Amino acid sequence: MRRLYLRIYFAVLASLAVFAVAAAVLWHSVAEPREGDDFTLIARNVLPPAAAPSAEQQAALERVVRDVRVDLALFAPDGTRLAAVGGALPAPTRAGWHFSGGRFWASQLPDGRWLVSRVPHRRPAFGLFALALLLVAVAVGAYPVVRRLTERLERLQQGVEALGAGDFTARVKVEGRDEVARLAESFNRAAGRIEELVAAHKWLLANTSHELRTPLARIRMALELGKPKSEIERDIAELDALIEEVLLASRLDALASLEVTEEVDLLALAAEEAARYDLEAQGEPFVLRGDPRLLRRLVRNLLENARRHGAAPIEIRVQRGELRVCDAGPGVPSAERERVFEPFYSRHGVGLGLTLVRQIARRHGGEARCEGNCFYVTLPA
């Protein structure tokens, strides 16, 4: 049986059937009242002595079974019938249950007499009918519940297959608040993340191929025109830096967590990078756990962006867990302050420089933003 909903459905029905059979057996063997014991106890208190006349014993026996549907007989120790009420009963052969043409209960009184009773047979037809009706009701009610559960799993399977086939827009409907619903939510989040990564990589590849043409064309022209070696080396360095940025951006997208974490003093690191541009970092020490190489790249990209697209003086400050790099340039218009972090945003970006700034900040649990002519990077301690 390959269908999950049928396996669950029949498992429910089988469990119910086993429970019903066990309940019936238990009721038949344990829960059935044993009226013979009750009549024996009553008879000991009601019946006259063994020497009493038969009429007196008959009257006492009739009082015992008043308003009760039961056959009852009283026998002498030698098996002689002394009194009887209801249908004919055989003489007892032993105490307890007696299966000889019917269902009897025989009990010997202290004076030697035997009291034999027969409980009318209870036909289980109604009980069996009620049990069968219950089974049918449960079967009818359980099917849509089980089917609804497995239909959600089937839709989830279809979504996974669509995603595996290359449809990165595949999503599944989230229904309910149970584990299946949470699984659907996790799938949608994963599918959304995969779609973003694939789209970003496609966009990055397309723009990278475009950006690589410029230094390659300059190198080709320099070789054809016999330009100085220094110009060719500068173009090669630009090409090398661009490739390095592309590789780093791709690696940051693929990383689930930082590869290296150690304590880093952000102010000391910023001061080292600022010295490369004849600047002095201001602020207060701030220690965080992170990758020092990536944090150094973050500071360097911000300073390089300010140098290329801003104007002196350039200020770099670390204060209360925030790195700020400002310049005296015109700044970025408010409508473009988010776009500057997009890859190859040519007007204000430096290739992938600001894109890497935001990626590195987020990999460290922080965020990067632009406000006019200042860039802010907030990092957790």
Side-chain angles (χ1 to χ4, degrees):
M1 192 178 299
R2 302 181 62 184
R3 291 289 183 178
L4 178 61
Y5 76 91
L6 289 177
R7 292 166 62 186
I8 297 175
Y9 180 62
F10 283 114
V12 171
L13 294 186
S15 301
L16 183 61
V18 170
F19 172 78
V21 171
V25 171
L26 186 65
W27 174 79
H28 181 76
S29 60
V30 177
E32 180 73 12
R34 301 174 68 175
E35 291 88 346
D37 286 341
D38 298 335
F39 289 124
T40 301
L41 294 175
I42 296 173
R44 287 179 179 179
N45 298 320
V46 175
L47 290 177
S54 298
E56 186 178 347
Q57 297 194 42
Q58 178 68 31
L61 203 64
E62 291 176 355
R63 288 197 301 271
V64 171
V65 298
R66 183 181 301 168
D67 300 328
V68 179
R69 292 184 58 190
V70 63
D71 300 330
L72 196 62
L74 184 65
F75 294 88
D78 59 359
T80 304
R81 188 190 308 272
L82 301 176
V85 177
L89 295 175
T93 58
R94 62 180 175 85
W97 290 107
H98 174 64
F99 297 95
S100 176
R103 180 173 159 199
F104 307 100
W105 179 261
S107 176
Q108 192 169 25
L109 301 179
D111 56 15
R113 288 177 297 174
W114 286 89
L115 185 67
V116 180
S117 63
R118 177 170 56 194
V119 180
H121 180 64
R122 289 183 175 88
R123 295 186 178 182
F126 178 76
L128 292 176
F129 175 75
L131 184 60
L133 190 63
L134 177 62
L135 285 171
V136 172
V138 172
V140 173
Y143 183 83
V145 175
V146 174
R147 191 68 186 107
R148 182 174 180 273
L149 171 64
T150 54
E151 278 181 345
R152 293 157 62 197
L153 292 175
E154 289 176 4
R155 286 193 289 270
L156 186 60
Q157 178 191 8
Q158 293 169 1
V160 172
E161 291 176 350
L163 184 65
D167 182 9
F168 300 111
T169 62
R171 301 293 186 274
V172 295
K173 184 179 179 181
V174 179
E175 302 173 85
R177 298 181 180 178
D178 54 11
E179 290 82 356
V180 178
R182 289 195 290 272
L183 182 59
E185 291 174 352
S186 299
F187 170 80
N188 289 341
R189 285 195 298 270
R193 178 60 177 159
I194 292 173
E195 183 182 15
E196 291 175 2
L197 288 175
V198 171
H201 285 171
K202 287 181 178 179
W203 194 88
L204 182 63
L205 181 61
N207 284 276
T208 300
S209 61
H210 174 76
E211 293 293 326
L212 289 175
R213 291 193 184 100
T214 301
L216 286 174
R218 288 202 302 264
I219 292 173
R220 185 182 298 110
M221 185 176 295
L223 291 173
E224 292 175 354
L225 299 178
K227 288 187 176 182
K229 182 180 177 181
S230 59
E231 293 187 14
I232 298 177
E233 290 177 345
R234 185 173 62 250
D235 291 333
I236 292 175
E238 180 183 345
L239 186 63
D240 184 64
L242 180 58
I243 293 174
E244 183 185 359
E245 287 182 341
V246 170
L247 293 176
L248 180 58
S250 298
R251 188 160 59 88
L252 287 174
D253 274 338
L255 286 177
S257 59
L258 293 173
E259 294 177 328
V260 178
T261 56
E262 58 184 68
E263 289 190 352
V264 180
D265 187 340
L266 188 59
L267 179 61
L269 188 147
E272 293 175 9
E273 289 300 314
R276 294 163 55 94
Y277 297 87
D278 296 325
L279 300 174
E280 183 178 351
Q282 305 293 327
E284 56 191 26
F286 178 72
V287 178
L288 72 153
R289 291 197 64 81
D291 188 331
R293 186 175 61 85
L294 292 179
L295 292 171
R296 187 178 298 277
R297 185 61 176 266
L298 180 150
V299 176
R300 186 179 301 173
N301 285 5
L302 288 176
L303 291 173
E304 185 67 20
N305 181 73
R307 185 184 67 81
R308 289 191 181 186
H309 301 282
I314 298 173
E315 176 192 4
I316 178 170
R317 176 177 290 274
V318 176
Q319 191 168 12
R320 296 178 182 177
E322 186 175 72
L323 171 68
R324 183 179 67 191
V325 177
C326 299
D327 61 71
V332 182
S334 58
E336 301 177 8
R337 290 175 185 174
E338 277 298 309
R339 295 196 61 195
V340 294
F341 293 102
E342 296 177 2
F344 303 111
Y345 184 65
S346 59
R347 181 174 179 182
H348 295 287
V350 186
L352 292 171
L354 293 178
T355 302
L356 290 174
V357 167
R358 174 165 279 183
Q359 283 183 302
I360 294 170
R362 288 178 175 176
R363 275 288 174 264
H364 286 79
E367 188 55 86
R369 71 183 191 278
C370 173
E371 294 183 7
N373 58 352
C374 291
F375 285 84
Y376 298 87
V377 176
T378 304
L379 296 167

